[in-house]
Amino acid sequence: MGFWMDKLRAELVDIIEWIDDSKHTMTWRFPRYQNEIKNGAQLIVRPGQMALFVHRGQVADVFEPGHYELKTDNLPILATLQGWKHGFNSPFRSEVYFVNTTQITDLKWGTPNPIMLRDPEFGPIRLRAFGNYSLKANDPRILVKELVGTNAEFHSEEINELLRSIINSSFADLIGESKYAALDLASKYTEISTELKKIVNERIDDEYGLETPQLLIVNISLPETVEKALDTRTSMGVIGDMNKFQQFQMGQAMLSAAENPSGGGAADGMGLGMGFAMANRMMQSPGMGAPTQMTPPPPPAAWHIAVNGQSQGPYSPEQISQGIAGGQITDQTQVWSAGMSGWLPAGQVPQLSGYFQATPPPPPPAG
């Protein structure tokens, strides 16, 4: 009889354990028929785990990593709840939850909508941000009570949306209060990440029994239009002297027009306009024309020319002279100046006709 009793008792001893092969499972409830656990059952809690016994919705005893034989002396709270005064010899009912206490990494967060703030340099602007964070169960009692409930399993994805909202809200509060200049944010990622992690942990540790051991900011970006404006501003700073840059651009345009003689009237008009503008700018640049100490008198006349049915000008007499000498203005080019009743060919205007006098041919060779 003693042999068969010992054999029966041995068959009633269970092993309670959780072998987790997933990366994002936070809690797992040990499956038991009617939650019955045999006297002397073996409880195995592996590193990175904790085991909680729950009786009628109340968290009782908590076990850290180790190997336990379930008896009255290591289940004091459960023994009190079930009225075990002198030990127990029959199966008892209790729910056993295993909690993963390792870090769950590679979780993502990001602002779904831009955050509005007032920048000291640019005024009202919008910012976006995203990054990574890790999650860990800090207090299994609070976690099971506040989030898990009666779920057989609880995964990080089920709370990821809540945590992203908490991180985004904390980031908006932090950026708004810190008043960092937008151009200085890139140099303060580490500082902002540290402060953000502190704020987030204060909001989730006592509330949900969780913590974020790592919380990193990968990028903070401005709207695309603002970034383009900053690129333009940077380019202008690199260019430096805008007058010299414009002179260089005009020279390049004239060179391209000269290398493309098939451009037609439109190209000729563009070259003429660019040439006059360049001559005018060169005359206004330091070291050219009148001394910089004196304001030069206004030109005696301002001329307009017609190119492809469009009026260009006004141009000074010197610029008109240069255009005639360069062959860009002919005696048939329509011109107009204040005091004239209408447009006339340049060769018929007394002030300009002298520029079109025929050049004498070379003298005959000596006899």
Side-chain angles (χ1 to χ4, degrees):
M1 178 65 70
F3 171 77
W4 290 106
M5 183 61 66
D6 291 342
K7 186 175 185 299
L8 177 61
R9 288 178 178 176
E11 290 177 349
L12 293 177
V13 175
D14 284 345
I15 296 178
I16 303 174
E17 62 180 345
W18 178 32
I19 301 177
D20 180 28
D21 56 358
S22 67
K23 294 182 179 180
H24 292 264
T25 304
M26 300 192 69
T27 66
W28 179 75
R29 185 177 63 197
F30 185 77
R32 297 292 303 161
Y33 175 70
Q34 295 183 346
N35 299 324
E36 290 187 348
I37 299 176
K38 307 300 187 293
N39 179 24
Q42 303 297 306
L43 173 65
I44 300 175
V45 183
R46 289 177 168 76
Q49 298 177 353
M50 294 185 72
L52 285 76
F53 283 74
V54 179
H55 177 67
R56 295 181 180 178
Q58 182 175 351
V59 177
D61 300 284
V62 180
F63 292 84
E64 295 184 351
H67 188 176
Y68 306 90
E69 181 181 357
L70 299 179
K71 300 181 296 183
T72 306
D73 55 356
N74 57 21
L75 291 168
I77 299 178
L78 191 61
T80 301
L81 293 176
Q82 298 202 11
W84 300 333
K85 297 180 180 179
H86 306 289
F88 64 97
N89 295 315
S90 61
F92 65 94
R93 292 185 177 183
S94 178
E95 297 175 344
V96 181
Y97 287 88
F98 285 89
V99 178
N100 180 8
T101 59
T102 62
Q103 290 191 41
I104 299 176
T105 59
D106 62 43
L107 300 175
K108 311 292 184 181
W109 70 272
T111 53
N113 298 306
I115 297 174
M116 293 292 298
L117 60 88
R118 188 177 300 277
D119 185 77
E121 184 174 357
F122 302 115
I125 60 173
R126 296 179 299 168
L127 293 179
R128 288 184 180 271
F130 65 88
N132 303 322
Y133 73 98
S134 62
L135 185 63
K136 180 180 180 181
N138 185 33
D139 191 330
R141 292 176 180 269
I142 299 177
L143 175 63
V144 171
K145 180 181 178 181
E146 297 295 334
L147 294 177
V148 178
T150 59
N151 292 336
E153 290 187 9
F154 185 79
H155 301 269
S156 61
E157 291 82 359
E158 300 180 52
I159 195 176
N160 197 20
E161 188 67 28
L162 172 62
L163 287 177
R164 283 201 298 262
S165 299
I166 294 175
I167 295 174
N168 291 334
S169 175
S170 302
F171 176 77
D173 293 342
L174 176 60
I175 291 296
E177 294 174 0
S178 62
K179 296 182 180 180
Y180 290 125
L183 297 181
D184 295 334
L185 289 175
S187 63
K188 298 184 179 294
Y189 279 8
T190 301
E191 178 181 339
I192 298 174
S193 298
T194 302
E195 188 64 24
L196 180 60
K197 183 180 72 172
K198 178 181 177 182
I199 297 174
V200 171
N201 282 327
E202 289 175 353
R203 295 184 179 182
I204 67 174
D205 55 356
D206 295 334
E207 186 74 18
Y208 305 109
L210 300 169
E211 68 170 321
T212 55
Q214 296 292 331
L215 198 161
L216 302 176
I217 296 174
V218 176
N219 180 262
I220 300 176
S221 61
L222 296 168
E224 183 179 358
T225 54
V226 177
E227 291 181 349
K228 289 182 178 179
L230 287 176
D231 291 342
T232 302
R233 179 177 175 180
T234 302
S235 300
M236 292 175 63
V238 173
I239 289 171
D241 192 330
M242 288 298 297
N243 289 334
K244 292 183 178 179
F245 179 69
Q246 290 179 357
Q247 292 175 15
F248 170 76
Q249 283 189 314
M250 287 188 290
Q252 291 293 102
M254 293 179 67
L255 180 60
S256 298
E259 293 176 349
N260 185 22
S262 61
D268 294 341
M270 181 183 69
L272 176 62
M274 295 290 287
F276 286 164
M278 182 175 182
N280 187 33
R281 187 168 297 278
M282 292 178 63
M283 291 182 64
Q284 295 175 357
S285 62
M288 300 292 293
T292 56
Q293 293 82 359
M294 297 178 57
T295 302
W303 294 92
H304 297 260
I305 66 174
V307 178
N308 294 328
Q310 295 183 353
S311 176
Q312 295 187 3
Y315 301 114
S316 66
E318 290 81 1
Q319 293 173 317
I320 294 295
S321 175
Q322 292 176 3
I324 295 173
Q328 295 169 316
I329 298 178
T330 68
D331 58 351
Q332 298 301 316
T333 301
Q334 297 289 321
V335 299
W336 178 87
S337 180
M340 294 176 56
S341 59
W343 293 83
L344 290 175
Q348 299 180 17
V349 178
Q351 297 93 323
L352 304 178
S353 60
Y355 293 110
F356 299 104
Q357 293 180 356
T359 303

